[in-house]
């Protein structure tokens, strides 16, 4: 049995994650975002399951304001 894994273009990853190109590459440099797979001399793709897993690991917004660090 073979499974087909969907591969996402960068623009698809941007839309899916709601972050821009520069943020994607910054997070990749920091080791905080999945690395793409090279599919051609000038083309890369991200496995959809890796992007979905990355999104699932991101913290949820609580609506609470962070405590002041400076004692304001």
């Amino acid at each position: 049995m073979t499974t087909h894994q969907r591969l996402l273009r960068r623009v698809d990853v941007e839309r899916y994650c709601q972050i821009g190109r520069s943020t994607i590459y910054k997070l990749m440099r920091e080791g905080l975002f999945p690395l793409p797979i090279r599919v051609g001399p000038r083309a890369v793709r991200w496995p959809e399951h890796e992007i979905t897993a990355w999104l699932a690991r991101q913290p949820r917004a609580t609506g609470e304001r962070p405590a002041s660090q400076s004692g304001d």
Side-chain angles (χ1 to χ4, degrees):
M1 178 173 132
T2 61
T3 59
H4 292 51
Q5 177 57 52
R6 184 170 172 211
L7 298 176
L8 303 174
R9 298 174 304 148
R10 190 198 76 240
V11 294
D12 299 324
V13 172
E14 290 174 19
R15 285 188 204 118
Y16 197 68
C17 298
Q18 294 295 296
I19 58 176
R21 177 185 59 84
S22 60
T23 301
I24 290 170
Y25 286 104
K26 176 182 179 284
L27 291 171
M28 284 177 15
R29 281 192 305 275
E30 295 171 355
L32 300 174
F33 196 81
L35 297 176
I37 297 169
R38 183 159 302 281
V39 295
R42 294 177 42 139
V44 296
R45 301 289 185 268
W46 283 261
E48 183 177 34
H49 75 277
E50 291 184 15
I51 300 303
T52 301
W54 178 83
L55 280 171
R57 290 190 304 270
Q58 300 313 299
R60 302 281 182 197
T62 63
E64 296 177 8
R65 299 182 107 183
S68 175
Q69 298 284 330
S70 63
D72 294 342

